[in-house]
Amino acid sequence: MAHLGLLGESPSRPRAAARAVTSPPAGTAMAQENAAFSPGTEEPPRRRGRQRYVEKDGRCNVQQGNVRETYRYLTDLFTTLVDLQWRLSLLFFVLAYALTWLFFGAIWWLIAYGRGDLEHLEDTAWTPCVNNLNGFVAAFLFSIETETTIGYGHRVITDQCPEGIVLLLLQAILGSMVNAFMVGCMFVKISQPNKRAATLVFSSHAVVSLRDGRLCLMFRVGDLRSSHIVEASIRAKLIRSRQTLEGEFIPLHQTDLSVGFDTGDDRLFLVSPLVISHEIDAASPFWEASRRALERDDFEIVVILEGMVEATGMTCQARSSYLVDEVLWGHRFTSVLTLEDGFYEVDYASFHETFEVPTPSCSARELAEAAARLDAHLYWSIPSRLDEKVEEEGAGEGPGEEAEEEAGEGAGEGAGVDKEQNGCLPPPESESKV
């Protein structure tokens, strides 16, 4: 049995062949048809682990390789720095300031060296470019004081150095630009809403069960924070490779799964955990998927929750995914909302819990066709029964009605004579005389 599973052959294949050779009796045909609408107990076949397209924590499992036009990253240097890892961002932050200080410190030292200030350190009659600048270390410290506008007062530029004045202006302007650029990068990186997505949780499994008589694929989302997500919306994508009619193979083809876009149900008021439902109708890619077919399929469902962070107003996106093994057929989510004294309480301990419910194991198409056949049977059976009842009543009351009609005619004539005699109706002779 284990060897068959490793070779990809189902252990139930010999039994299926035996059933195909010996045709079932007529009495078991109805039982087999009804079994399609009852929850199955057969274990799903073992499958090879599928590589995720999107991890459970929302990280996209895609790496860019052989990118030859690397200069494009430099055209958007700000975004490149923001996207760097924290250790690289901090390294670049420190190097940006250190290198500018060293660069301008070297220029201050060259000015002092070129003017001969370093040779007249003890000459009180000599007016240097920068007072008390006696070496490269002093020039480096003066560069830091100039760019950071510290101004200790010991080293100061004089008015007898025009090149130093020009350099001071350049360093002040470039230093402001470096400050704005680096502080902006660090601020954006710190305030990124990626960490806010860590408090947006998705259920560990998706479920398939009946809702209002229709099969639905459902998953649950929740927000752990008391500050809410504004304008929250949900989307779902089916990731599955397919082959076109022309033979073209499309890997990881993306198909939209409707979660209420037409009705507005995709826009969420995410105060408490919500169960998102995808109705499996004729427009759904799971329209013809039964329980057995779904277990043998190979796909991934990616769910995306977007909205604005209430505290910062920045757009936040949380993602998760469900593989075939994480879709439970015939299950429903356990309720997590309870009414307490004056408030509602959410129990996140049972957020991921599900329980089994009676669910047909057939496809949504087969379920709809069975419901249509049942409706048609009721539609045609009720009028036929009414017609039979009317015909039976007509056959039983026919002779009696004829006798009653004849008796009625005789009684009518007698009543007419009585009325004529009583003067209610004028006799024919009086009419002729008039």
Side-chain angles (χ1 to χ4, degrees):
M1 189 72 68
H3 296 290
L4 291 175
L6 292 175
L7 293 176
E9 299 179 359
S10 175
S12 61
R13 184 170 298 177
R15 294 196 298 269
R19 288 195 298 267
V21 172
T22 61
S23 59
T28 60
M30 185 63 68
Q32 291 180 357
E33 183 177 356
N34 294 334
F37 297 93
S38 61
T41 58
E42 184 179 354
E43 293 293 333
R46 293 184 179 179
R47 63 176 70 250
R48 179 175 55 88
R50 187 184 190 277
Q51 180 65 50
R52 285 186 180 273
Y53 189 61
V54 176
E55 298 291 342
K56 296 293 287 185
D57 58 357
R59 182 175 54 86
C60 296
N61 198 10
V62 178
Q63 296 183 0
Q64 312 296 336
N66 296 326
V67 180
R68 299 181 180 180
E69 299 177 351
T70 55
Y71 66 90
R72 295 181 180 272
Y73 294 105
L74 299 178
T75 58
D76 189 10
L77 184 60
F78 186 85
T79 305
T80 302
L81 294 177
V82 172
D83 291 340
L84 290 177
Q85 298 179 358
W86 266 108
R87 57 178 179 271
L88 296 178
S89 297
L90 293 175
L91 178 62
F92 192 85
F93 184 83
V94 173
L95 289 177
Y97 283 104
L99 291 178
T100 53
W101 295 337
L102 286 172
F103 174 73
F104 284 103
I107 295 178
W108 286 115
W109 181 81
L110 288 176
I111 291 176
Y113 181 79
R115 295 181 76 255
D117 295 342
L118 300 179
E119 299 176 356
H120 301 79
L121 295 177
E122 304 296 335
D123 190 357
T124 57
W126 180 265
T127 303
C129 183
V130 179
N131 289 329
N132 300 315
L133 196 151
N134 53 9
F136 181 78
V137 176
F140 177 70
L141 294 176
F142 180 73
S143 174
I144 296 176
E145 296 173 10
T146 301
E147 189 167 336
T148 58
T149 64
I150 294 176
Y152 289 114
H154 183 65
R155 281 173 288 271
V156 61
I157 189 172
T158 61
D159 56 357
Q160 302 298 323
C161 182
E163 60 271 25
I165 297 174
V166 173
L167 181 61
L168 179 65
L169 295 176
L170 290 176
Q171 186 172 4
I173 295 173
L174 293 178
S176 299
M177 294 176 61
V178 171
N179 287 332
F181 189 81
M182 297 309 302
V183 172
C185 285
M186 297 304 294
F187 175 77
V188 171
K189 193 171 183 64
I190 292 173
S191 61
Q192 271 186 327
N194 296 339
K195 299 303 179 182
R196 178 64 177 88
T199 55
L200 298 174
V201 293
F202 297 86
S203 58
S204 58
H205 291 82
V207 298
V208 177
S209 61
L210 289 176
R211 260 196 177 185
D212 297 328
R214 298 182 179 181
L215 284 176
C216 295
L217 173 70
M218 294 171 285
F219 57 93
R220 184 152 59 185
V221 296
D223 189 2
L224 301 180
R225 289 187 179 273
S226 57
S227 59
H228 309 306
I229 296 294
V230 183
E231 296 292 333
S233 61
I234 191 73
R235 291 183 292 142
K237 293 279 188 179
L238 175 65
I239 310 297
R240 179 168 56 185
S241 302
R242 74 179 188 92
Q243 190 170 5
T244 63
L245 298 177
E246 295 78 13
E248 179 187 4
F249 179 74
I250 304 178
L252 302 177
H253 178 70
Q254 300 183 10
T255 305
D256 281 332
L257 295 179
S258 177
V259 289
F261 177 78
D262 298 333
T263 59
D265 293 338
D266 62 328
R267 293 183 288 274
L268 310 178
F269 182 53
L270 196 58
V271 178
S272 60
L274 299 176
V275 176
I276 310 301
S277 175
H278 164 66
E279 182 179 337
I280 304 178
D281 52 10
S284 173
F286 300 115
W287 174 242
E288 299 182 356
S290 62
R291 177 175 183 174
R292 183 174 299 179
L294 191 71
E295 291 171 348
R296 295 179 178 177
D297 204 347
D298 188 13
F299 61 85
E300 182 177 355
I301 299 174
V302 177
V303 292
I304 305 169
L305 176 62
E306 292 180 328
M308 291 187 300
V309 181
E310 188 178 26
T312 62
M314 302 183 69
T315 303
C316 172
Q317 185 181 92
R319 298 179 294 267
S320 186
S321 66
Y322 302 98
L323 297 179
V324 181
D325 299 335
E326 297 169 346
V327 178
L328 304 178
W329 189 287
H331 283 245
R332 189 177 297 166
F333 287 107
T334 304
S335 178
V336 296
L337 194 63
T338 57
L339 177 60
E340 301 296 335
D341 187 10
F343 61 94
Y344 293 94
E345 183 179 0
V346 178
D347 182 17
Y348 277 99
S350 56
F351 180 82
H352 302 283
E353 293 181 1
T354 63
F355 61 95
E356 295 187 8
V357 292
T359 304
S361 59
C362 64
S363 64
R365 178 179 180 178
E366 295 173 349
L367 184 62
E369 291 176 352
R373 288 196 300 268
L374 181 60
D375 293 340
H377 176 70
L378 293 176
Y379 177 79
W380 289 108
S381 62
I382 293 175
S384 62
R385 292 175 182 175
L386 292 176
D387 294 341
E388 292 175 359
K389 185 176 181 181
V390 170
E391 290 177 359
E392 291 176 357
E393 292 178 354
E397 299 177 357
E401 290 180 354
E402 293 178 358
E404 289 178 358
E405 290 178 357
E406 292 177 358
E409 290 177 358
E413 292 177 357
V417 173
D418 294 339
K419 289 181 180 180
E420 289 177 358
Q421 293 177 355
N422 294 331
C424 294
L425 291 176
E429 292 81 3
S430 62
E431 289 182 0
S432 60
K433 289 179 181 180
V434 174

